[in-house]
Amino acid sequence: MTTSTRHPTQPVAADPARTAVAGPSTADLVRAAVPASFRRLDPRHLLRQPVIFVVWVGSVLSTVLAALDPSLFSVSLVVWLWLTVLFANLAEAVAEGRGQAQAASLRATRTTTGARRLSGDGTETAVPSSELRPGDLVVVEAGQTIPGDGDVVEGVASVDESAITGESAPVIRESGGDRSAVTGGTTVLSDRIVVRISSAPGESVLDRMIALVEGADRRRTPNEVALTVLLSALTIIFLMAVLTLQPFAVFSGATQPVLVLVALLVCLIPTTIGALLSAIGIAGMDRLVRRNVLALSGRAVEAAGDVGVLLLDKTGTITYGNRRATDLHPAPGVRPAELAEAARLASLADETPEGRSVVDLVAGRHPAGAPAGSGDPTGTPVPFTAETRMSGVDLGPRQIRKGAASTCAAWVAEHGGEVPAAVTAAVDEVAARGGTPLVVAERDGGGTPARCLGVVELTDVVKEGIRERFEALRAMGIRTVMITGDNPRTARHIAEAAGVDDFLAEARPEDKVALIVAEQRRGALVAMAGDGTNDAPALARADVGVAMNTGTSAAKEAGNMVDLDSDPTKLIEIVEIGKQLLMTRGALTTFSVANDVAKYFALVPAMFAVALPQLGVLDVLRLGSPESAILSAVVFNALVIVALVPLALRGVRYRPAPASSLLRRNALVYGVGGLVAPFVGIKLVDLVVSLLPGM
Amino acid sequence: MGATAAGLLQLLLLVALLAVTSPLLAGWLHAVATSRRHLAVERVVYRLGGIDPDREQGWRQYLLAVLGFSLAGVLLLYLLLRVQGVLPLSLGRPGFEPSGAFNTAISFVTNTNWQWYSGDSAMGHLAQMAGLTVQNFVSAATGIAVAFALVRGLARAESTRLGSFWVDLVRITGRVLLPLSLLVAVLLVLGGVIQNLDGPRAVETLTGGTQSVPGGPVASQEAIKQLGTNGGGFFNANSAHPFENPDAGTNLLATWAMLVIPFAMPLVFGRMVGQRRQGFAVLAVMALLWLLSVLAVVAAEVTGRGAAPELAGAAMEGKEVRLGVWASAVFAASTTGTSTGAVNAMHDSYTAAGGGVALLNMMLGEVSPGGVGSGLYSMLLIAVLTVFLSGLMVGRTPEYLGKKIGGGEITLVALVLLVMPATLLAGAALSVSLPTGRESLAGEGPHALTQMLYAWASASNNNGSAFASLSAGTPFLAVGQGLAMLVGRFVPMLLVLALAGRLAAQRTVPAGSGTIPTHGPVFVSLMAFVVVVVAGLTFFPSLALGPIAEALQ
């Protein structure tokens, strides 16, 4: 992990309005979904939803029976049975429709563009973008569309990525470093870059995004499979209860029409959740896409809801990231201007905001140390690496280094010098304040020992509101671990200020992987965000690895989600979406099963009103007539699907809280609510239905 | 003292006795389940059986041992019953017919102890002792052993072993059931229960008539009949017979005996998983359901309507005057809640509502508190199901005691949920549809339907109690119910052991504040709710046509 700044300042809460594509209106969606609902009456399609398939079989059977012996009751019943299947299809089609609308507008940007392919000898060939293969080099200049996903290998350019992210402000993409990745379909606004293509046609981020929002390769997630098993078991139990009811009814002298038994079965099996299950899953993915996150599998979204540990980079996630130099502490016997000049020289080649902030500080405070204009000696910059954790400049024989206290001290010692106690004390003092101390040292080639010049103090600012978010996460049972290249003391200070549970200081890439493995061995699922190539192993290892879109291709390949806004705090929202997805399923299952109690009270007295009139006591709703009671239960059962489609698409309300209070609340709302709602609903429907002649 | 005060006092005494003894017994059972030491006599048994007691079994081996042992038990008992006429101590009673022997062999091996025959006239002493009493011990031990295996699955992490069935069987029988039975048998004899090897003796009564007074090793069989939640009476009248259950004292002892192990098992579970409060939570659900069913039966019987009950002050038909309504009602709720099936009054004669609660108690799946072992493992499946549903409601892949409940686990639980309703409903539906089934019924209408439902609920749940006026001895019912008992016992055991194997193999996830607490009042109420809703939704239509229609007449 580098100490450099990578992430642009981001607000903590992402703006939900900043979506990739403006969604069509609900009315349009429903209108578009109606024909699809009819097409989905094909039983082969319904086999994926066992509960709805049973309703379909019942509807077919009832249609035949009603055709043989038509009456207002039987025909109305058949109509509403079919409506039950159609409403289930409609829910799914509306959910998919939202995705398809987005896919269509994304596809518009995927038109084949021309590409200028570079061959080995530097000549350019014009080829269509569809012929590009991974490894090809292409030239893109201002005004041209980047023909495919890849990494910038030469040059720097400003790029308009609004086609993918919806964000209109251009971003800088440059070769080397962690901001090299470009996405096919985006437009270069200035300059010229050479891009190495990294994905074959049809496998780009854009293609994956389209497939995702269309639900083309939607596979059922493990939790969805488990729930389907349970719903199937419930369906079988009710099937047995209804099938064996007829012999008991015959024995009791109350033989039931088959149509009524079908109505009973359809009311009892969990049609509500059965109808909405796939819509909930599609809508969950959709909510992610709307926040500009691409999940490469539904499994990852579910895993997000289960995460026990969040690894967050300090820089850009917990702090604003643009750490600034705020003070200089010269070593004993070193003039402030001397330190200032050395610090400036060491930072001139450092293009990170930190490096620039050192130059700015020196320019502001010690104008004497900053000779104007061209007076700077030219030297060889020594770039920062994660391994050396130092940067600096070589000016002929003179070497100036700037870096973390421990590494810089080692460098001084290696070259015969020693670090004065006052510098060590200054380092500790800065670190204790939560700042980052950078030690500046120099040596001339002439065999004199290296000399420690002093300390540059960098100050890091914790984002507003982040503490509250971590408290919310803790309430949800999620531990946050801050990852930083800082020394342990600085890390501790910031960790305390930000309210994280734990931190990993002086972290190297392999430390991150080791931490993830250790947490996973404890049984926790781990989520992390990352962008650099050195993050790739950890992203691959994490259960939920969110790669930043600005990051390298290696990082994007390794993760199982890509955040197009490159906002690492979004990890928190991803976790919430995952939880909301599971909760919506649980709430609607509970609601669906609890509904059955009221349906029994409506149906059983109605079915046996003639043969066993004493069961009329159970008719607590005082429904109009037996026929009206049965029809009302079926109508309510169908309407409740439609009524709950918005909830399925939106997801149940989620507020971070401990599991026990969430459970109490949801059990109350959806369990008790599910008991009461149908009593009211069926009675209301019955008031209308009993107005029909002959009911 | 009024009947209500006396009844209430007896109930309180029972609860107090259970509250003191169940935790003690739980400590004992826990030691038995986890001890590494073998007693000398046990070593002899293992050597004779060629068993290495220190080699633990995987779930498949454990299952094979359970099934093999039970199959051997069925075959031996079948043989014994068929040839009892030529064996000593048979009191001159002939061997059983094939279908009857099949039914009885399965009935005792599956811990059902359904009796289509009358013990007074059909069974010799040898068959009672060497056949039925032996199975009373080992079928109970088998149930407890399977529960131990499931709990080990929950307690262990990344393991393929669930313990050794043979060691569990030998220890539960030898260290727990035998000594406990001895104690109870002695107390019963002190209370007036007979214990001898005599045949029926003809005595002259005061009025000059003659009466046949039976004899037999009653107390020894009675003790394990109750302790092992077996329920097969020495006499046809079962615990209503004065030689099996002479007075209120022995009745209290008998009621305590059938409840003490089922109520101790959840505490054993809590100790074995190292979190006693988890055990208390399961116990709380069981106790809540038991108490509700006790109060419901008492209320139904005390307030029973009709000319005869109003004259007698309560529904006294079919009840023993020496025991009274309260003691009978508590016994009825306990025997149907524990899969015991012993009766101290005729359930057939209970009020429609009282009989209906007894029926519903079985339909809950024998979890209030359930049979020895089977009550715990059935309730743990309910806990897994509840965790799955509530996990979804808090937005987290559910965990029970650190074990993830995924598709595989839920599939096994869902299959168990299907077994009992399938055999119960299919059996009862066939029986009321086919002439060969209907001929066992004396009448028609709601009460006759209740009788048939009760018989199949009893067999499918391995309970064993019955509504008396059903003639269960027909080949159709004998074979059909035999199959229901087999399926109802061993299919869930198979699935439970498979689940235990899956759980043991998993690593244990540490609990955090995102984990649903499975010991609080919210979870306890949810579990009770799941039990009642699942059973209620499955059986409401049939209950409506049977006991509910009868009660509302």
Side-chain angles (χ1 to χ4, degrees), chain A residues 40-44 46 51-69 74-75 77-86 258-259 262-263 265-266:
Chain A
R40 283 162 204 241
L41 288 176
D42 184 341
R44 282 166 301 181
L46 291 170
V51 181
I52 302 304
F53 182 71
V54 171
V55 181
W56 183 88
V57 172
S59 306
V60 171
L61 182 64
S62 312
T63 310
V64 174
L65 291 170
L68 294 176
D69 180 17
S74 63
V75 172
L77 208 53
V78 167
V79 168
W80 280 96
L81 289 176
W82 281 113
L83 281 175
T84 310
V85 184
L86 281 173
V258 175
L259 207 56
V262 171
L265 178 65
V266 169

Side-chain angles (χ1 to χ4, degrees), chain A residues 177-391:
Chain A
D178 292 334
R179 284 156 71 190
S180 62
V182 289
T183 313
T186 58
T187 314
V188 173
L189 295 178
S190 70
D191 304 292
R192 171 186 186 274
I193 47 174
V194 177
V195 174
R196 181 185 286 118
I197 297 297
S198 60
S199 65
E203 290 166 19
S204 67
V205 167
L206 199 59
D207 292 310
R208 285 198 292 204
M209 196 159 163
I210 290 168
L212 190 77
V213 294
E214 276 189 325
D217 64 341
R218 212 179 88 75
R219 262 172 248 136
R220 274 198 236 163
T221 57
N223 181 272
E224 216 177 337
V225 170
L227 187 56
T228 308
V229 166
L230 188 64
L231 295 180
S232 307
L234 277 175
T235 306
I236 295 172
I237 288 184
F238 287 126
L239 198 58
M240 293 189 307
V242 172
L243 284 179
T244 55
L245 182 59
Q246 184 72 319
F248 299 147
V250 171
F251 183 79
S252 310
T255 308
Q256 292 298 309
V258 175
L259 207 56
V260 170
L261 291 175
V262 171
L264 175 65
L265 178 65
V266 169
C267 285
L268 292 180
I269 59 177
T271 45
T272 315
I273 178 67
L276 298 174
L277 191 55
S278 51
I280 294 169
I282 297 167
M285 294 288 260
D286 190 58
R287 275 198 295 281
L288 272 184
V289 173
R290 273 160 190 267
R291 283 174 177 75
N292 281 347
V293 176
L294 291 189
L296 303 186
S297 73
R299 195 180 275 260
V301 185
E302 242 177 53
D306 254 352
V307 157
V309 179
L310 270 188
L311 302 191
L312 296 169
D313 278 346
K314 183 195 75 175
T315 312
T317 310
I318 294 170
T319 63
Y320 280 110
N322 42 355
R323 240 175 349 185
R324 297 194 59 85
T326 50
D327 211 350
L328 298 173
H329 307 277
V334 178
R335 282 178 300 111
E338 200 180 341
L339 168 64
E341 205 237 342
R344 197 183 70 90
L345 286 174
S347 307
L348 277 178
D350 185 352
E351 275 303 299
T352 64
E354 276 168 28
R356 280 198 297 267
S357 80
V358 173
V359 178
D360 292 347
L361 176 77
V362 172
R365 270 213 202 164
H366 303 275
S374 58
D376 282 333
T378 48
T380 320
V382 178
F384 183 94
T385 68
E387 291 304 322
T388 62
R389 302 178 59 223
M390 277 196 312
S391 62

Side-chain angles (χ1 to χ4, degrees), chain B residues 510-538:
Chain B
S513 69
T515 316
I516 311 153
T518 50
H519 55 265
V522 175
F523 192 77
V524 167
S525 342
L526 275 177
M527 265 177 85
F529 184 75
V530 168
V531 172
V532 173
V533 163
V534 168
L537 293 182
T538 314

Side-chain angles (χ1 to χ4, degrees), chain B residues 49 51 91 279 282 373:
Chain B
I51 294 153
L91 311 177
V282 174

